[in-house]
Amino acid sequence: MKISQPLRKKLIEVALPLPEINDASAYDMMPGIGAHPKGIHLWWGRKALPACRAFLFASVVDDPSSHPERFPTEEAQAAERERLFGIIRRMMQKQLHKHPEVYAEARAEMLKYCDGKLPPVLDPFAGGGSIPLEAARLGFEAYAGDLNPVAVLLNKVYLEIVPRWTDHPPVNPEDRRKIGGTGGWRGASGLAADVRYYGQVILERARKKIGHLYPPVKVTEEMAAEHPHLKPYVGKELPVIAWIWARTVPSPNPAARGAHVPLMSTFWLSSKKGSEAWLEPVVDRTRNTWSFRVRTGAPKDRETVKAGTKTGRAQFRCLLTGDPISDDYIKKEGQAGRLRERLVAIVADTGRGRVYLPATEEHQVIARRAEPGWRPEGIMPNNPRWFSPPLVGLTDYGDLFTPRQLTAMVTLSDLIREVRADVRRDALAAGLSEANADAYTADVVTFLAMALDRCACFNTSLCRWGPSNEKVMNIFDRQAIPMLWDFGEANTLGDSVGAWVTCAQYVAECIETVGTKQESHARLIDAARPWDGLRNVLISTDPPYYDNIGYAALSDFFYVWLRRTIGDLYPDLFATILVPKEPELVAAPERFNGDRLKAKEHFEQGFRRAFTILREKMDPRFPLTVYYAFKQDDVESGADEEEGNDEPGNSRIDRTTGWETMLEALIGTGFQITATWPVRSAQKWRMNAMEANALASYIVLACRPRPENAPQADRRTFVAELKQELPGALRKLQQGNIAPVDFAQAAIGPGMAIYSKYSRVLEASGRPMSVRTALALINQVLTEVLSEQEDEFDNDTRWAIAWFEQHGFEEGEFGEAELLSKAKATSLRGLVEAGIVASRGGKVRLLRPDELPKNWDPDKDKRFTLWEATHHLIRVYWYEKAGDQATASLLRKLGSRGDLARELAYRLYNVCEKKNWSQEGQSYNALVLGWPELVRLAREQGPAAAPLFESGEA
């Protein structure tokens, strides 16, 4: 690709309304926001739709500074920039599929910058399809490529199937009679109506076939005698919502004579205040038997109920003897095939809510009568990080289901295949041609197959019963298939969470939110190998994250059911028994006999091939945008690899990050980074905690081909430029409210922008500086910049930071503290008076936030310190969980004095991260994440004693 004329800077390379993009993206990723395209089929690591459309738009429209003839002054450029921001802000609305006029406005604006014709958009790592979907919504012809057949099918749904039948009426006879033919069906509503109708047909047929396996539960006098809460329902047959099971293992104590005992992570059935229900063990040690009573109301000891029989990670206590049951013992028994399941409770629907009943022998026997006629083929990978069930003998995908669950899934799969005849008959009766009737039939049953995959998510023996929300939970509450000991079995033929009909209806609702009319394309391609077709495309992509997510392995869970149900409709996608693994760009050592070096080489070489191909395909007018969210491990120094730290086989190889590999591929194939944007993509509900390196954000990089005549620089020049440019860039990141957990990662962007603009940076030895060394130097400068911000802090706070770096909140020697106080121009006596230090018995320590006085008033504090103010905010917000309003009230009292609290939180998080103090670090991270809302609420509460946040707010 040759660049023949000067390139105009795009908006993405200069400025964006990041707070609005962040807020909309965070909302888009939340659960429970209603129907959404992501609900059609689960995918891991999916990107927020608002961010995707914002970055696509900003990659096409020019920044006003590119047109000095039209916008000659900075004021004129700022005004035009604000106009473009207004379009982006309107694009951040919720449920934008209901506002086609906003997409039309954005499309009309983009057409001004590309000679009246939008370029095609390519995402060669399309995955869950967020980027291609938003491209199609904006009017681009989108091309989604992926090596994973499940991902390709999902993209086909968005880009090919829904647009094909937009504004098309349903074919089922019921809706055609109701509406009277073809009028009134807009968007994908007709297609959705057919998915609902034939989903109901399948349910009715399934109930005839296997309804006997899903009986109601009868409330008897005997039950009510022991369970008074059941008295109002005596004699009634209540529909079952779920059955709750516990895995059991032989007691390790010989005195129990081999009796099986339950492995239960909790005794809670409902932990909601005011409607508590829990299991109370009834143990007969003389007979070595046990059972459970259902109890209601608040228990005396909530912690005992919460703990169940679990004592630690995969460790339990024997209910009969009290002996510990170790992780190793459970693994040994599981691998020997001696794990069982036992029913412990039943959840039923009273018509007004849920009621909990004790297990009955009848319901246990009925569940065990099920005889599935098929089992999924395929062994799970030997990778405990993603798949822990094989450790206890559950080795293949069929092992993840109970016999009744398998029977239901197989029956539904068979019925989806059979209902094709009904759809085709009705399509022909509705006037479709033979060819169109065949195509429509295939498309409707594709959605039904996706509903079956959703059903699978809630119908395995690894689905947790959630006592806080009283429902069966999705198996994929994170990007793995972890082992579970007690589980909820949904009533597949009922009408609650996890039931077939609720899954089919939800998929139908989500179909109506796709909102694409522009037909586009989804292809099964390997981005790391040559493939034909496109040239001069706008490329925006979300590549794989080194070894963060094993997409191919995880998607086997869905693939086995899709292949059985609709594999004949997509022979190219489902030609193999399982998803192809070898070509996938993931650094998975188990695919190379445990060899980490070979896994790393596979990933790096594939990345380089992919970006080399992309560089040749891209339209030079538009930057390449790359989404990336891998947490970078700290590299302790900027020492060059010449020192022998990276010899083959050295343990440092284990710390090679996805960031390094991705950056090497980009820079090594001739790209330079022109902008980086941190995007908030998750909120407090996210399950992964900070100690699991969970990212609250990802980074979007804008990249251009580096000019062939780019200069080179030496190490000294590079470091000097870092120190000159990075402080301002980091300040902008803080103002954009990037989470502290992501701050080091976000700082890589502006640092690598400096590094990548040179053809190479030379070490003193004459060797080119590696990306690893550049990353280390960026980290060094980051720490220096954060430390330099301390100059704005009061002396007491500067002492506290230095002490915290050495001791955290633990005690240290008085002499050491006294010496440090002299260096920081303060005194221990003054620090005690300031209320931040405790000193007694020759020992000194910082007071923890939860030890600070609750009646603290900054206006009456005679020795105000930033340290104390920040930790009072944390006390209210994090430790007391008093909420946003209470924290904002304190923030308002601080006025402009609170302006530096966020900067101190960044500094202290940086300390915690380096020291691996995860608990303390979470509180600082949380305060920064909540800052924009706290500032907004503080302003709403009225004026402060001093001006509130004169600068630096998000």
Side-chain angles (χ1 to χ4, degrees), residues 580-800:
K581 307 293 189 305
E582 292 306 319
E584 184 187 29
L585 283 184
V586 62
E590 69 273 10
R591 297 182 192 169
F592 298 90
N593 297 316
D595 192 322
R596 290 181 176 273
L597 275 173
K598 285 186 178 178
K600 175 178 179 288
E601 288 169 5
H602 166 75
F603 186 79
E604 288 179 345
Q605 290 170 7
F607 244 46
R608 282 181 173 271
R609 284 197 301 268
F611 283 118
T612 298
I613 292 168
L614 294 177
R615 193 174 189 274
E616 294 303 315
K617 290 185 175 294
M618 66 185 288
D619 188 322
R621 296 175 296 171
F622 310 106
L624 162 76
T625 50
V626 179
Y627 295 65
Y628 212 77
F630 193 100
K631 181 170 174 61
Q632 181 211 10
D633 293 328
D634 281 336
V635 181
E636 295 301 329
S637 74
D640 189 70
E641 282 74 15
E642 293 176 44
E643 298 178 14
N645 294 327
D646 272 343
E647 290 298 317
N650 190 289
S651 62
R652 276 191 70 186
I653 211 72
D654 296 339
R655 298 195 304 164
T656 297
T657 66
W659 257 119
E660 181 185 352
T661 304
M662 188 270 292
L663 291 168
E664 282 181 342
L666 274 172
I667 296 166
T669 51
F671 284 100
Q672 68 180 90
I673 296 163
T674 57
T676 59
W677 299 101
V679 181
R680 191 188 321 141
S681 62
Q683 299 220 349
K684 296 174 187 176
W685 56 266
R686 184 170 179 170
M687 185 171 180
N688 287 341
M690 188 196 73
E691 53 264 47
N693 287 345
L695 298 174
S697 315
Y698 49 87
I699 308 300
V700 177
L701 300 96
C703 310
R704 296 271 196 177
R706 188 170 53 247
E708 293 180 6
N709 62 349
Q712 63 182 29
D714 58 24
R715 182 186 181 112
R716 180 180 296 178
T717 301
F718 172 58
V719 172
E721 203 167 342
L722 277 180
K723 292 184 176 181
Q724 181 179 352
E725 300 292 334
L726 212 52
L730 296 178
R731 179 73 71 177
K732 286 181 181 177
L733 287 174
Q734 288 179 327
Q735 290 172 353
N737 216 62
I738 182 73
V741 69
D742 303 300
F743 198 55
Q745 176 175 257
I748 292 171
M752 293 309 296
I754 297 169
Y755 175 82
S756 64
K757 74 180 183 180
Y758 295 111
S759 61
R760 56 182 181 169
V761 176
L762 297 178
E763 296 282 6
S765 65
R767 288 181 56 183
M769 178 184 288
S770 69
V771 167
R772 176 183 289 263
T773 301
L775 288 172
L777 292 170
I778 293 167
N779 274 345
Q780 279 185 1
V781 175
L782 168 64
T783 300
E784 291 171 11
V785 170
L786 290 174
S787 298
E788 287 168 3
Q789 289 180 353
E790 293 179 27
D791 292 343
E792 302 177 51
F793 302 160
D794 56 86
N795 290 346
D796 290 351
T797 296
R798 292 171 59 225
W799 178 93

Side-chain angles (χ1 to χ4, degrees), residues 232-557:
Y233 312 107
V234 170
K236 295 182 178 179
E237 291 191 338
L238 302 177
V240 174
I241 291 172
W243 294 267
I244 299 178
W245 299 80
R247 296 188 205 277
T248 66
V249 66
S251 170
N253 189 326
R257 299 177 183 176
H260 273 242
V261 292
L263 306 175
M264 298 195 68
S265 59
T266 185
F267 289 147
W268 279 119
L269 299 172
S270 169
S271 59
K272 290 181 179 177
K273 287 193 176 180
S275 58
E276 292 94 336
W278 77 96
L279 293 172
E280 179 183 71
V282 179
V283 178
D284 186 339
R285 289 185 172 83
T286 60
R287 297 182 180 180
N288 286 324
T289 63
W290 54 271
S291 61
F292 289 103
R293 290 192 190 99
V294 175
R295 291 292 182 238
T296 58
K300 292 180 180 178
D301 187 347
R302 296 181 74 93
E303 288 304 313
T304 297
V305 173
K306 180 181 178 181
T309 64
K310 195 170 185 178
T311 59
R313 186 179 179 87
Q315 298 178 63
F316 297 82
R317 62 177 173 83
C318 174
L319 196 59
L320 294 176
T321 67
D323 288 278
I325 304 176
S326 69
D327 180 24
D328 289 341
Y329 176 81
I330 295 170
K331 287 176 181 174
K332 184 184 75 172
E333 292 299 300
Q335 289 166 5
R338 289 191 284 268
L339 285 184
R340 298 177 190 166
E341 300 90 30
R342 179 163 155 183
L343 187 65
V344 295
I346 300 172
V347 191
D349 184 3
T350 68
R352 294 184 176 182
R354 288 161 171 72
V355 67
Y356 295 89
L357 299 91
T360 71
E361 183 64 24
E362 176 194 9
H363 274 255
Q364 184 157 275
V365 168
I366 289 172
R368 289 175 175 163
R369 284 181 187 154
E371 296 182 357
W374 181 84
R375 281 172 59 90
E377 300 178 34
I379 303 298
M380 280 180 276
N382 178 25
N383 185 338
R385 180 183 174 194
W386 296 328
F387 299 87
S388 53
L391 295 175
V392 294
L394 307 181
T395 57
D396 64 53
Y397 290 99
D399 292 337
L400 304 184
F401 302 84
T402 67
R404 178 161 58 184
Q405 287 171 331
L406 263 184
T407 300
M409 289 291 295
V410 170
T411 300
L412 292 169
S413 175
D414 289 340
L415 290 172
I416 292 170
R417 294 175 63 86
E418 291 173 15
V419 87
R420 295 184 195 182
D422 300 76
V423 181
R424 189 175 189 280
R425 179 196 64 225
D426 294 340
L428 290 170
L432 272 68
S433 68
E434 292 272 348
N436 283 344
D438 288 341
Y440 192 71
T441 299
D443 292 345
V444 169
V445 298
T446 294
F447 282 111
L448 293 171
M450 290 191 157
L452 183 65
D453 272 1
R454 181 172 177 82
C455 205
C457 288
F458 293 95
N459 283 276
T460 78
S461 66
L462 299 177
C463 290
R464 183 171 56 89
W465 174 257
S468 62
N469 49 18
E470 298 184 90
K471 65 181 182 180
V472 173
M473 305 301 288
N474 194 310
I475 184 175
F476 291 110
D477 54 10
R478 59 192 180 95
Q479 297 148 351
I481 297 181
M483 187 57 195
L484 199 71
W485 307 105
D486 41 358
F487 60 93
E489 180 191 9
N491 183 348
T492 313
L493 302 187
D495 57 7
S496 295
V497 171
W500 160 255
V501 71
T502 59
C503 292
Q505 288 174 353
Y506 185 65
V507 167
E509 288 178 34
C510 295
I511 291 170
E512 295 189 67
T513 70
V514 173
T516 50
K517 292 186 177 182
Q518 170 69 53
E519 274 208 58
S520 295
H521 318 276
R523 297 179 176 181
L524 188 68
I525 58 169
D526 181 352
R529 300 193 180 281
W531 32 273
D532 61 359
L534 300 172
R535 288 289 185 276
N536 294 321
V537 293
L538 188 163
I539 300 170
S540 185
T541 192
D542 175 22
Y545 299 163
Y546 198 62
D547 64 348
N548 259 17
I549 304 174
Y551 294 102
L554 288 172
S555 56
D556 279 338
F557 177 84

Side-chain angles (χ1 to χ4, degrees), residues 218-232:
K218 186 172 183 179
V219 182
T220 64
E221 291 280 2
E222 292 78 12
M223 278 186 193
E226 272 197 284
H227 302 84
H229 69 286
L230 297 178
K231 285 182 180 179

